[in-house]
Amino acid sequence: MLIDDLRYSLRMLRKSPLASGAIVLTVALAVGATTAVFSVFNALVLRPLPYYQPERLVWVAERNDRLNLPTFTTSGLNFRSWQADFAPIDSLAAIGFASYNLSGDGEPEQLTGGTLSAGVFPALGIAPLAGRAFSVDEEQIGGAPVAMIGEALWRRRFGADPNLVGRSLTLDGIPHTVVGIAPIALTLISPGDVWKPLVIDPTKEKRLAHTLTAIGRLPSGQTVQQSQSAMDAVAAHVGQQFPETKDWGIRLVPFPQWIVPDALRTLVSVLLAAVFCVLLIAAANIANLMLARSLAREAEVAVRTALGASRVRVVRQSLIESLLLSLSGGIVGIALAFASLRWAVYAMPPNVLPITDIGIDSHVLGFALLLSVVTGLVFGIGPALQVARAHSASILRAGGRGTTGATHTWLRKGLLVIELALAAALLVVAGLLIRSLDRLEAVDLGFQPDHLLTFQLSLPAARDPADARPFVFYRDLVPALASVPGITAAAITSGVPFGAGTYSATPVRPNGASLLAADDALTVDWRLASPDFFRTFGIPLLRGRTFTEADDARAPLVMIVSRSMALKFWGTEDVLGHTVHRLGDGKDLTVVGVVGDIRLTALNQQAPTMYYSSASRLWPLMDVAVRTSGDSASVIADVRARIRTLDASLPLANVRTMNEWVANSGAQPRLNADLLAIFAALALVIAALGVYGVLAHAVGQRTGEIGVRMALGAQSQRLVGQFLREGLGLAGLGIALGLLAALLSSSVLEGLVFGVTARDAATYVLVGILLAIISAVACAIPARRAARVDPVVALRGE
């Protein structure tokens, strides 16, 4: 019988290809969108990290409650103290950031990477693809020059040569022996292509120089809270030994929470909830279509029931038809999800997601198939039960015209109200994010991004502060670049705004009178900057002076502060000549200038900033910026040629315009707004079709009544008004419920919006008006059709 029911359902679907095709397409769009978003949710939240027992892995961060730093990077000397103090963490390890210039065969290439302690691989529970990891002996000062390369570089530049292990690569002009190939899993916590052993020299390190990322594995059977208590005791012991660290504690952060922050989890959850709304709207709309189809076949069902068919058989056959439609739509939806994910991974800006291995695995495929089955049951069970409960005798006495009307109207109207409520809630969320994006893209950056070209250089000798060659190189580089035709200014910095350079923050305390409490300190972002940095970026000098080449390491230490830092520390008084105490190294710096505030790391953040002279200090990796009079891309070749005259082995990396960096910074909120706008538009269309479908079906079922009323003198305008009131009443109820639901859940959205509140009245009003207008249009079409009913034709049918 099951096979017979399947054949019968296929025949019935073939008899109405347009309606069946519309249902399959609706299911495909809803299931496809849900599957695509769920695949992201699965990769970020559900899928285990690619490490052994990842639930035991923690980020061992430092914290400073006094400076309001809940998590911070780790001091190298503190890390060694934890190890010596027998820290109650298994496989305690540390990772540093670094960049290297690869030379030799082929073009020179700048590679990012880092330094690894010997415990990194055991802590993560991973193994090299070939060769070995670093040993403890290689962490010692003066150890043999060895390196590991990443799987991506191994395949891209060396063709996955299995014999690369044991060969020599020239990094920063020094031959290094390749001892192993690191798997992709390492790059999740240490992005890059090349790693060297972590060497901590106690004679050069500073106790408060936080430059490392420490990780560890919880002992078997211990919770984070239990290990946290033990690490608190370790931090207290270190604070007793080294008083300068007394305010610094330790915080253990589970790996999933560290790699995928709570804000990103909330965002993905909101997107998943939004796409589920679309799915529910689609299911409700299809349920209405299926109910209309089932009611049209009431006479057939009545005859079959009268001839002995059981109600179970009728329900089963209806559900089989629904499942065939939903599974067909689900298969098409999976194909759409697969194609959209491939396109998204290709088109998505870098660094938007911490995990890029997103696709349709067995779990996502099972979810999509289960979703298709559940969707078929959801939109099929209601119509099936309604038809099965119909009274065969009444239908047959009515001449096969059916007995719809009040019997089934409540279900169709209820589904319509649900559709509109979900669409309204989704439109509110999309509207808030779109308005937030508009505010975000309209913020004042504080600098002029047009006609700015940036790139990175890494000088190996800059790793030795006593070596003057890097300072000479950059001192000669800036005027050399400024003399290139088409370039009007050039500068160097440790990090361009929104770029991929080295960013840092340090706690400082004002000396003397200030707005802060006595002995209070703040952690402030800082950057290295050359004398022409502010002119190159168009940052206004508000007071004092900029840097000169005389502000080198031999001169008294000076700094330039942003306007917000000056206000936070000293208010409106003249800040020139004031000094601050840098807690990291105990040095004092004198303020010689005040500049305007700029957005540094995110469009929605503007923090107090300090600038140090690049003539007194350099990072291994420096950013270079040039301002051009025309197209920035037109000077790249001349810039490369000019740098080769200074150092032929030095590669350029991350060559981008400043507008590209700014656009990349807004990629995440733009993607959020675009996705929700697409989901909301889809929900709006489906809901509008639902309004039209319910009212059109009501007109069709009441054609006889309309004919009688018109024959008795009813005016067409009155009939139009009646149907409009009926449709708009349902629409108003659904819209009101949806706006109320959005208002009650607004607290979830507070962290995702900028420049507007999650209860922005204008957004709610605009959504209500938009839905009301669309609902009115959807109601007007069938209402006008009712007014054009010919009473003679309608009564002849009776």
Side-chain angles (χ1 to χ4, degrees), residues 101-104 106-109 457 459 473 639-652:
N101 292 331
L102 175 64
S103 57
E107 284 291 320
E109 185 177 359
L457 295 175
L459 291 181
F473 173 84
V639 166
R640 291 184 188 274
R642 194 58 57 93
I643 291 177
R644 285 196 184 98
T645 63
L646 299 175
D647 189 335
S649 66
L650 199 60
L652 275 67

Side-chain angles (χ1 to χ4, degrees), residues 283-292 411-412 415-416 419 690 694:
N285 201 35
I286 297 170
N288 262 328
L289 291 175
M290 291 294 294
L291 183 60
L411 179 59
R412 292 175 57 79
L415 290 172
L416 175 60
E419 286 184 54
V694 168

